[in-house]
């Protein structure tokens, strides 16, 4: 299992939108992250469709959080970027085994028992989803304040504040 790097970029960019209800343009976010605008634009389209961010049109526009950071979980972001498809997709291969091949189940009154492998995989996925649901964007903001040097956080906020003031003066 592997999530795309888009999930990581999304989470990083979303945390920049937290201070004071910031609105930031794709151009500034892409430049700051060192990625193409078109790539980030695709990610932001997904985040917008999921109701995580909203666009602010116009010269002074950009993107802003559509919900409170306490209401945006890591799982919300993963689901928005990666889609709702389950990680494990049971192919019901047990029914293709020797004992079941060619069996006519057209008159079966009961479906065959659930696959134990599928049940374990679904439970594991649910545990991971619940953990990611417990981690909110507000937690990430606090965690970055804790683990990053204060000057780094200050410089990051200054970069985006400057970008916002440049947009406003245009």
């Amino acid at each position: 299992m592997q999530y795309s790097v888009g999930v990581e970029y999304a989470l990083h960019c979303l945390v920049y939108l937290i201070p004071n209800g910031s609105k930031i343009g794709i151009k500034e976010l892409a430049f700051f992250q060192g990625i193409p605008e078109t790539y980030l634009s695709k990610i932001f389209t997904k985040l917008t469709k999921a109701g995580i961010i909203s666009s602010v049109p116009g010269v002074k526009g950009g993107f802003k959080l559509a919900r409170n950071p306490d209401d945006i979980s890591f799982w919300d972001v993963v689901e928005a970027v990666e889609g709702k498809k389950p990680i494990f997709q049971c192919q019901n291969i047990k029914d293709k085994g020797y004992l079941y091949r060619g069996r006519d189940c057209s008159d079966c009154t009961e479906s065959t028992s659930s696959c134990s492998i599928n049940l374990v995989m679904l439970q594991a996925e649910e545990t991971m989803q619940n953990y990611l649901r417990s981690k909110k964007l507000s937690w990430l903001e606090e965690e970055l304040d804790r683990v990053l040097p204060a000057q780094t956080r200050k410089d990051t906020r200054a970069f985006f504040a400057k970008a916002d003031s440049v947009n406003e003066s245009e």
Side-chain angles (χ1 to χ4, degrees):
M1 173 198 70
Q2 182 175 342
Y3 293 132
S4 71
V5 71
V7 171
E8 186 175 0
Y9 281 125
L11 287 165
H12 276 281
C13 288
L14 290 172
V15 85
Y16 304 140
L17 298 176
I18 293 175
N20 305 318
S22 298
K23 61 181 183 304
I24 303 172
I26 286 281
K27 181 184 262 187
E28 292 80 17
L29 288 164
F31 175 79
F32 193 81
Q33 293 292 342
I35 58 174
E37 277 181 60
T38 53
Y39 179 68
L40 190 57
S41 207
K42 290 175 185 176
I43 294 169
F44 269 47
T45 297
K46 293 175 180 182
L47 294 171
T48 301
K49 284 181 182 176
I52 294 171
I53 59 172
S54 60
S55 64
V56 179
V59 177
K60 297 178 183 180
F63 287 89
K64 66 178 186 171
L65 293 178
R67 304 190 317 235
N68 185 301
D70 287 328
D71 298 328
I72 302 170
S73 72
F74 277 44
W75 182 249
D76 295 331
V77 176
V78 168
E79 209 170 44
V81 174
E82 299 293 331
K84 296 185 181 209
K85 189 173 164 182
I87 295 169
F88 183 77
Q89 296 174 27
C90 182
Q91 299 299 313
N92 208 16
I93 63 172
K94 68 177 177 49
D95 289 345
K96 296 174 188 163
Y98 174 74
L99 296 176
Y100 296 99
R101 256 184 253 150
R103 186 174 73 167
D104 178 20
C105 286
S106 59
D107 64 345
C108 292
T109 57
E110 255 177 58
S111 63
T112 57
S113 63
S114 295
C115 176
S116 297
I117 295 168
N118 187 40
L119 293 174
V120 168
M121 299 304 268
L122 291 174
Q123 288 171 346
E125 189 170 341
E126 184 177 353
T127 299
M128 181 186 66
Q129 289 173 5
N130 287 335
Y131 180 76
L132 292 173
R133 284 184 186 107
S134 77
K135 296 299 180 191
K136 307 292 183 179
L137 206 52
S138 55
W139 171 86
L140 180 58
E141 174 80 350
E142 292 169 8
E143 184 67 5
L144 293 176
D145 281 340
R146 189 179 72 74
V147 299
L148 291 176
Q151 190 61 47
T152 300
R153 296 291 280 158
K154 184 178 176 184
D155 292 345
T156 300
R157 289 181 178 118
F159 174 87
F160 288 115
K162 180 179 163 190
D164 193 37
S165 67
V166 168
N167 286 340
E168 287 182 14
S169 64
E170 292 176 349

